[in-house]
Amino acid sequence: MSAPLVSPPFLRVGAEAAPILTFEKVSKRYGNLLALSEVSFQINRGEVVCLIGPSGSGKSTLLRCANALEMLDGGRVTFEGADVHGAGDARRVRQRMGMVFQNFELFPHLTVLRNITIGPTTVLRLDTAAADARARALLHKVGLSDKVGQHPAALSGGQQQRVAIARALAMEPALMLFDEPTSALDPETIGEVLSVMKALADEGMTMVVVTHEMDFAKRVADWIVVFDQGRVIEQGPPKQIFEAPTVPRTREFLSHLGWHGESIAEISAGE
């Protein structure tokens, strides 16, 4: 028998809580399919929040609702105090949120450098020299300084995703959204991308990550939100979710991924 699908309270109380993004009873339908049902939780500034759960449980849909790529059928998304879906706010929100997709979404006809500078020059009206300098610094940051003049087709999947991360960072976002950023990569290149993401987290970048990479979620996330059938069924710090989940469906999902409740301290010690 499956666990009851009950969303927990959406606000976390604490002196240090500083919400940057809040979902309040967010619902989304595609025809007869209820993709999201009254999803409520918050992301605080400086946090890494990982969304986990079975494929098709609504995680990616929620990210698309976060930056108004999808409209809502109910509820509210608030970013930096503004209603994301309010009149005239979507453009500003997208400038302040970086998004990294599963399949890179790079412009194939543009060089790596131009892929990164096109946003700052056309949207932020940054002059070419400044945009170029910013792009080169970001390529150095993600370990791709030598790929400036190449086109995406000449790069590995991991390299393309790192370019995509640099492109998002070039807009100097307040928040980064990652939609299963390693799902299209081979095992050898997954680590390249996760290392860049961990470095961003260590620098204090606020991040929301849809992922099936449980090791990354265990070690890097400040907060885990578990989805099933379009609902939040459990949320909490990694120690709680991975060592003592309270919902049977969470335990079942983690067990299918080979996680059986070992402590995070034990896993870290075995590295």
Side-chain angles (χ1 to χ4, degrees):
M1 182 177 177
S2 60
L5 299 175
V6 179
S7 293
F10 78 95
L11 285 176
R12 283 179 276 148
V13 178
E16 298 181 1
I20 186 173
L21 180 66
T22 300
F23 301 98
E24 187 172 2
K25 296 185 176 180
V26 170
S27 295
K28 175 65 182 176
R29 282 188 176 275
Y30 297 105
N32 293 326
L33 174 65
L34 183 59
L36 294 169
S37 179
E38 298 196 345
V39 170
S40 297
F41 65 94
Q42 73 184 37
I43 291 91
N44 292 327
R45 197 175 296 274
E47 282 186 331
V48 177
V49 176
C50 284
L51 314 185
I52 69 172
S55 296
S57 58
K59 307 180 300 295
S60 295
T61 298
L62 188 73
L63 283 200
R64 295 178 67 83
C65 289
N67 65 357
L69 290 175
E70 297 281 359
M71 296 297 102
L72 305 181
D73 291 309
R76 187 168 184 248
V77 181
T78 305
F79 174 63
E80 295 187 321
D83 186 343
V84 168
H85 297 266
D89 281 336
R91 180 181 175 85
R92 183 192 69 84
V93 164
R94 290 184 187 132
Q95 289 181 19
R96 296 280 292 158
M97 284 189 198
M99 186 157 183
V100 178
F101 299 88
Q102 298 178 33
N103 295 311
F104 325 134
E105 303 292 343
L106 299 175
F107 296 111
H109 62 292
L110 299 180
T111 65
V112 164
L113 185 67
R114 185 58 178 146
N115 262 284
I116 298 172
T117 62
I118 191 169
T121 55
T122 60
V123 178
L124 302 182
R125 304 299 182 186
L126 203 64
D127 68 74
T128 302
D132 184 274
R134 182 181 294 183
R136 290 175 185 274
L138 288 168
L139 284 170
H140 177 75
K141 184 185 188 74
V142 300
L144 294 172
S145 296
D146 59 335
K147 306 299 182 183
V148 171
Q150 296 195 16
H151 286 77
L155 306 180
S156 70
Q159 290 170 336
Q160 290 186 61
Q161 194 63 293
R162 283 185 281 158
V163 172
I165 293 171
R167 178 183 60 183
L169 292 172
M171 299 295 287
E172 297 190 334
L175 170 69
M176 287 283 287
L177 307 176
F178 292 87
D179 184 11
E180 297 193 42
T182 61
S183 65
L185 304 181
D186 62 69
E188 291 185 357
T189 58
I190 287 173
E192 301 172 0
V193 173
L194 294 180
S195 292
V196 170
M197 293 171 62
K198 185 179 185 304
L200 290 177
D202 291 343
E203 293 171 3
M205 173 61 73
T206 309
M207 298 162 57
V208 185
V209 185
V210 173
T211 186
H212 289 288
E213 299 292 337
M214 295 299 104
D215 283 343
F216 176 85
K218 291 182 300 227
R219 293 180 174 86
V220 179
D222 299 293
W223 197 255
I224 305 286
V225 182
V226 187
F227 280 71
D228 189 50
Q229 300 180 37
R231 295 177 183 261
V232 172
I233 60 169
E234 186 166 6
Q235 57 175 304
K239 185 176 181 64
Q240 172 195 317
I241 298 300
F242 289 104
E243 297 181 22
T246 61
V247 177
R249 182 67 182 100
T250 302
R251 292 196 294 270
E252 179 186 0
F253 168 71
L254 293 173
S255 178
H256 285 164
L257 296 179
W259 177 254
H260 301 289
E262 296 92 340
S263 75
I264 293 173
E266 288 172 345
I267 294 296
S268 298
E271 290 181 336

